[in-house]
Amino acid sequence: MSRAPAENPFASNASLDQNPFDASDPFSDPTSTRNAGADTRAADLERRERELAAREAELNQRAEHIKTHGRNNWPPFFPLIYHDISAEVPEVHRATVTRLYQIWLLLVITLIVNFVACLFILLAGSPDGGKDLGGSITYMPVITVTSFLLWYRPIYNGYMKEQALYYYIFFFFGGWHLLFSIYMIIGIPSTGSAGIIQTIQAFSQGHLAAGILGTVASVGWTLQGAGLGFYYRQTWAHHTQAGHTFEKAKGELATHGAKSYFSRGG
């Protein structure tokens, strides 16, 4: 009985006609891999160069501004103080301070609209139109400046320096501003407000322009008052959680004095 030939364990099934170094997978080409890596690095370097150039241009612009105005950058048309939420306020509080700044800007816009509305109320023949116009003219510079200095700037400094004194200044003058907002929403004749009462009277007498402007002014007074009220409560909760007290505020006033209001340090 014949036996089958034994299989050679060292025999190869590979064809002698096939080059074992031929690669059918394009990713196995080391030259292609190196070229792709070089292209990626070149694009990354180019992007970084653009970012550095933009950053350098920004720094040069700031340096030129500081050379002309010092560090002061606000208001933009006549810099008197330094105001930069992103640079001075801790990141965790930036959104709150930004909203408070937007509320203050809304207040300024509302004061302008209120003035225009009172002008139309005067032109509509209101017997108290002169008093309303005079009051609205007075409100524009007085309320704009005092609101910025007495409640917005203190809370800006409060969140920046985390000192109790600034929070209590904000609570005091911000509370008065909330009462003033309610007063302006009502719109009593001869008070310089084109609020609800004045708006209703203008519509009832057929003065559409005065009525529409009064409506816009009333909405503005309501929105900025409601917004301030919301962040007033939020700020009160934060100040309580942070452990600020009136005794601590008095101690800060005795230590730093009024000059700390204008300084950028702690």
Side-chain angles (χ1 to χ4, degrees), residues 107-123:
L107 167 64
V108 175
I109 295 172
T110 302
L111 286 165
I112 296 172
V113 174
N114 182 77
F115 156 70
V116 177
C118 286
L119 175 61
F120 274 80
I121 289 173
L122 173 63
L123 296 176

Side-chain angles (χ1 to χ4, degrees), residues 11-195:
S12 172
N13 293 326
S15 172
L16 295 177
D17 296 331
Q18 182 179 357
N19 187 345
F21 298 100
D22 285 343
S24 60
D25 187 354
F27 293 101
S28 65
D29 186 352
T31 304
S32 300
T33 303
R34 285 195 298 269
N35 290 340
D39 291 342
T40 302
R41 286 192 297 271
D44 188 48
L45 288 173
E46 185 178 353
R47 177 182 58 81
R48 291 182 180 180
E49 288 177 359
R50 288 197 301 267
E51 291 176 352
L52 288 173
R55 179 62 176 168
E56 183 179 2
E58 181 183 355
L59 291 175
N60 290 337
Q61 185 178 3
R62 289 187 178 182
E64 185 64 28
H65 186 279
I66 292 174
K67 186 186 299 182
T68 305
H69 304 286
R71 289 197 74 203
N72 297 338
N73 64 350
W74 195 95
F77 54 86
F78 192 75
L80 294 173
I81 62 173
Y82 184 73
H83 178 271
D84 191 338
I85 296 174
S86 62
E88 293 197 298
V89 179
E91 185 176 1
V92 68
H93 300 311
R94 284 176 196 166
T96 299
V97 177
T98 299
R99 293 293 179 267
L100 286 164
Y101 181 57
Q102 291 170 344
I103 289 169
W104 181 82
L105 291 176
L106 177 59
L107 167 64
V108 175
I109 295 172
T110 302
L111 286 165
I112 296 172
V113 174
N114 182 77
F115 156 70
V116 177
C118 286
L119 175 61
F120 274 80
I121 289 173
L122 173 63
L123 296 176
S126 170
D128 297 313
K131 296 179 181 178
D132 287 318
L133 183 62
S136 66
I137 292 173
T138 303
Y139 289 149
M140 282 193 293
V142 172
I143 300 301
T144 296
V145 174
T146 56
S147 62
F148 186 90
L149 294 178
L150 297 180
W151 65 257
Y152 172 70
R153 192 64 176 179
I155 199 56
Y156 178 98
N157 285 341
Y159 278 114
M160 176 180 68
K161 302 179 182 181
E162 207 57 64
Q163 293 181 1
L165 177 62
Y166 295 109
Y167 286 100
Y168 281 98
I169 294 174
F170 167 74
F171 293 141
F172 181 78
F173 290 106
W176 279 108
H177 184 76
L178 289 174
L179 294 176
F180 174 75
S181 299
I182 295 172
Y183 173 75
M184 296 299 285
I185 291 170
I186 295 173
I188 302 171
S190 76
T191 62
S193 169

